[in-house]
Amino acid sequence: MPGRSAYPPPGNTILRWIGDTGSNLPADVQRQLRSVFFTSKAPIILGSVNSCVVATIAWLHTGLFPLAVIAGLDCILVVVRLLLQLRTRAPSGPIFAGGLLFALLQGATVCLVVSSGDPALTVLVVSSAFATVGGIIGRNFAAPRYALLQVLLIDGCFKISFLWRYPEYWPLVTIQAVVFVLISVKILHQQHATTTKALLGEIESRERSVTDSLTGLANRRGLEDAFSKSASAGAMRSLLYLDLDDFKKTNDRFGHDAGDELLRQVAARMRDVAGPEPLLCRLGGDEFVILAERLSADEAQHLGRRLIASLCVPYRLGDHVLASVGASVGVVSDAGDGAALRDMLRRADRALYRAKASGKGTCVLGHRSDEETARDESVPAADVA
């Protein structure tokens, strides 16, 4: 399933609601929470082995054939659930459906054993069931509704079968049911909130490490990460190296605060011109780099010309401050042949140097070898329609 992210939500509306990991959370956090249900195999195996053994013992002890059926279904279900975990890019609905079926089988075992009236076997099966409940709360809190429904399937089957035999205890069982549900909900939400907070903190920390604090664009590390990902995908890439003309004069004249504001406005204009797909990076000072995938050399050069035309429009830096700067751009392209970032930056920097030398306010297309320098094209910003 090309193009689909790993650990997608369920396709079915009901299962999507049950397996919700937090609809108000960023998509990346939701995916990380859902990944728990795809990656933890040991609890599934151990839980199924335990339930299969318990159901088998209960069948041999009571002779109730439905318990043999449950034991067989448990064995089949564990294989199916493990196979579903391999489908990391398929909707996760079957994952949650398998977990609910597992809980239902545990509840059915408890119901049959409690209804049989065997006290020793009842203690054994109920103890096993509530150990499973503890495991569910500890493992499946990433989707609180899913975990709670599993718990209710097991606990509900126990309480219904118990009240069927001992109806006189319904007031006590009712109180216990309410308290049990409230405690379970509280624990699930606390664990979910703690994990979510940690994931959000991790994402925020990662974003700070790859983001320029002044402009909100990527920094050099962010550029390196994005370039590395594009290299692994074998994509065609273009690199635009942009430098502001006469920025130092503006900074010296109006002060650093005004200079910082100008850089922020430059970044905003670059976003407007480049659109959402290219990665915009501030290397430092007034130097910027744009990493654009799936752009040919001519298309990248056209983008460079549009940037120059936009950035040369005067900037209002205060009530009575109007400043003007220009821009020069060097462009290089890599047709998915695995060029290193430092090599492309070096070539783009040479192209930028030629743009500056040719009178500034131009976009120069750099070529792979010095022998092709003569073919470099310099296009004045004034030629932009």
Side-chain angles (χ1 to χ4, degrees):
M1 301 179 188
R4 175 175 284 174
S5 299
Y7 317 124
N12 179 273
T13 303
I14 296 176
L15 288 176
R16 183 186 289 266
W17 183 83
I18 291 173
D20 179 42
T21 53
S23 55
N24 60 328
L25 297 173
D28 187 36
V29 173
Q30 294 187 50
R31 276 194 298 273
Q32 290 189 60
L33 290 171
R34 274 194 301 273
S35 71
V36 173
F37 305 110
F38 287 84
T39 55
S40 52
K41 295 178 175 57
I44 290 179
I45 295 173
L46 294 175
S48 294
V49 168
N50 174 71
S51 62
C52 185
V53 169
V54 169
T56 301
I57 292 173
W59 166 51
L60 294 174
H61 192 74
T62 63
L64 294 172
F65 182 70
L67 289 169
V69 175
I70 291 174
L73 290 176
D74 262 326
C75 293
I76 296 172
L77 182 60
V78 67
V79 175
V80 173
R81 294 179 72 191
L82 292 174
L83 290 175
L84 288 174
Q85 285 192 329
L86 301 176
R87 304 169 69 244
T88 57
R89 296 187 181 276
S92 53
I95 294 278
F96 292 110
L100 293 174
L101 181 55
F102 169 76
L104 185 59
L105 291 175
Q106 310 317 299
T109 300
V110 172
C111 187
L112 288 169
V113 170
V114 172
S115 299
S116 73
D118 187 315
L121 193 58
T122 295
V123 171
L124 171 66
V125 172
V126 170
S127 298
S128 173
F130 281 95
T132 301
V133 165
I136 288 171
I137 292 176
R139 173 182 178 265
N140 294 347
F141 62 85
R145 291 172 188 154
Y146 167 62
L148 183 62
L149 183 53
Q150 284 185 299
V151 168
L152 291 178
L153 284 172
I154 297 173
D155 183 56
C157 286
F158 163 66
K159 287 183 167 55
I160 290 171
S161 58
F162 181 84
L163 289 176
W164 183 264
R165 286 189 62 84
Y166 309 104
E168 65 273 19
Y169 289 104
W170 73 263
L172 177 60
V173 171
T174 301
I175 294 173
Q176 285 182 334
V178 172
V179 173
F180 180 71
V181 169
L182 291 177
I183 292 175
S184 298
V185 169
K186 183 68 173 177
I187 293 173
L188 286 168
H189 282 291
Q190 280 184 338
Q191 289 182 295
H192 185 272
T194 301
T195 303
T196 298
K197 184 177 179 180
L199 290 174
L200 289 172
E202 179 184 334
I203 290 176
E204 183 181 355
S205 176
R206 185 168 65 243
E207 288 180 348
R208 282 201 302 265
S209 72
V210 297
T211 303
D212 174 59
S213 59
L214 178 63
T215 62
L217 304 181
N219 58 18
R220 182 179 288 272
R221 180 175 175 181
L223 173 64
E224 291 171 349
D225 288 351
F227 190 90
S228 176
K229 291 176 183 176
S230 66
S232 62
M236 178 178 68
R237 299 160 299 183
S238 291
L239 210 62
L240 292 82
Y241 203 138
L242 184 149
D243 182 81
L244 300 181
D245 300 328
D246 301 322
F247 172 74
K248 187 176 184 304
K249 293 180 181 178
T250 300
N251 202 45
D252 292 343
R253 180 180 177 185
F254 298 111
H256 293 296
D257 289 343
D260 288 348
E261 174 59 24
L262 190 148
L263 290 174
R264 283 190 285 266
Q265 292 188 31
V266 165
R269 292 189 190 183
M270 289 176 65
R271 290 190 190 95
D272 290 340
V273 173
E277 288 196 8
L279 177 84
L280 308 183
C281 166
R282 179 183 175 225
L283 287 183
D286 60 338
E287 293 184 338
F288 298 84
V289 169
I290 298 177
L291 172 63
E293 297 183 36
R294 295 177 294 277
L295 283 189
S296 67
D298 290 340
E299 290 170 332
Q301 193 174 20
H302 180 64
L303 173 58
R305 296 168 187 168
R306 290 166 52 214
L307 285 166
I308 291 172
S310 174
L311 297 180
C312 71
V313 177
Y315 299 81
R316 183 162 295 281
L317 306 180
D319 293 337
H320 306 291
V321 178
L322 199 64
S324 295
V325 295
S328 299
V329 181
V331 179
V332 293
S333 288
D334 163 32
D337 58 4
L341 176 60
R342 63 178 180 276
D343 294 332
M344 290 191 70
L345 282 174
R346 188 182 303 114
R347 289 168 48 212
D349 185 50
R350 285 201 298 266
L352 175 61
Y353 176 80
R354 289 193 290 273
K356 291 279 192 180
S358 65
K360 301 181 181 181
T362 61
C363 180
V364 169
L365 176 62
H367 297 281
R368 292 190 172 278
S369 64
D370 292 336
E371 287 76 16
E372 293 178 307
T373 303
R375 291 161 50 191
D376 288 347
E377 299 173 15
S378 176
V379 181
D383 291 347
V384 181

